[in-house]
Amino acid sequence: MDAADRLFPEHLAVLSRTADRALAASEGEALLIGAGQLRTQFLDDRTDPFVANPHFRHWAPILDAPGSFVLHRPGKRPTLLFHQPKDYWHKPPVLPNAPWMASFDVTVIRHPQEAQKQLPAHTVYIGDDSFKERDRWGFKSINPVATMACLHYARAVKTPYELACMREAAALGARAHRAAADALATGASEYAIHLAYLAATGLTEAELPYSNIIAANESGAVLHHTDLARVAPSPYRSLLIDAGAQVRGYASDITRTYATAAGPFQELIHSMDQLQQGLCAAVQPGVHYPDIHLQAHRQIGQLLIDHGLILCSLEQALETDLTSIFFPHGIGHLLGLQVHDIGGHQQDEQGTITPPPKNHPYLRLTRTLLPGMVVTIEPGIYFIPMLLERAKQDGRRSLIHWERIEALLPYGGVRIEDDVVATEEGADNLSRAGFSALN
Ligand code: GLY
Ligand code: MN
Ligand code: MN
């Protein structure tokens, strides 16, 4: 049994207590969580890669589980209704042989319909719309707002089991980032780096928490560059790689940027790395996460001044929103079962929403940090022609050192991203710990 296995029963106890409250909010007697269904592509017999409902994975760490369910009834052990169809075209999912299974009563079902027999009256269903039978099963309600609000709010605070999984996911991501850097050193293309990364994780592409972003040269200015070039650029100036891994369904989300030679872009990476580590240290219980975002804008503004890229005071850069030309996304987000974990704008179990500030629409997290929350910290500076053109046209032209910017355009941009836990003892940087363990 490993550390995560030992922590699993306690994790399940926490989920049960939350589920009791979530059920009470909708006056339900039982919670049925569907893993989801395989989706067949239009006019074809191929299916999309299966991704299980994150609420299902919260309980049962099974990735390959189409048609399975978890049933929670207050005061009872949870039931895993494991779907194992009789099929000779495909290999049916194999019943996991893992210590966590001992926490469940397990029933193998050959068809999802068989789950219906197990359901008490007033069952609340949580799952996606592709489950065709759901309208015929007589649920009390389906994804009721009050229940979902309670579940989503709670997901942000990780149990020790979840933190153990995420620590492993970050370590695996760090190892694969090292393999990617080694591939870059041989002059590999974006696509070849992707293959080296995948091989180092031992995951399939569908098992990654998100599509790898691997961007050479000016492609680094495309925030989510996933259309990977098969041919290495010449000259090869820079590489931005934003790639994660997953362990038992939990994600890591890590970005590193490299320059292939010394010069202003390498200096920018160095400054950004220091700035990013300072922001990571601010991940503490009681800190209002939007304050970290605003702090990032101040520090990025100062960095742009120090590197001679903008020609105004910090106050003017912030007042004119000039920093958003270079840093046009949020400082980060909740991380967990989903790379952009749910509930980032939610302030309580009742579902009160605080949207991001008006000038910062892409900020995904507006909560105050609690112990056990895992967030990313991912500041960046990009040279995005579309946004630079906007600044040129709208009166901010004189604030920018165009000659220096034009020299940096062929490098795309720099982003550094880590996964950080807020703990009572301070910030616990999971990804830096993963990289350190490699040395
Ligand atoms: N990899 C997506 C993100 O950093 O949010
Ligand atoms: Mn991220
Ligand atoms: Mn990322």
Side-chain angles (χ1 to χ4, degrees), residues 253 333 340 376 378 417:
D253 179 10
H333 48 86
H340 298 146
T376 66
E378 47 183 303
E417 176 175 27

Side-chain angles (χ1 to χ4, degrees), residues 356-398:
K358 202 159 60 54
N359 288 349
H360 302 274
Y362 300 115
L363 182 58
R364 295 176 191 269
L365 178 53
T366 55
R367 289 168 72 162
T368 294
L369 298 177
L370 295 167
M373 279 188 180
V374 184
V375 300
T376 66
I377 294 291
E378 47 183 303
I381 288 182
Y382 311 89
F383 307 102
I384 303 173
M386 185 180 92
L387 298 183
L388 290 165
E389 188 58 32
R390 188 179 295 170
K392 206 177 243 179
Q393 300 301 332
D394 69 9
R396 290 178 284 183
R397 183 188 203 112
S398 64

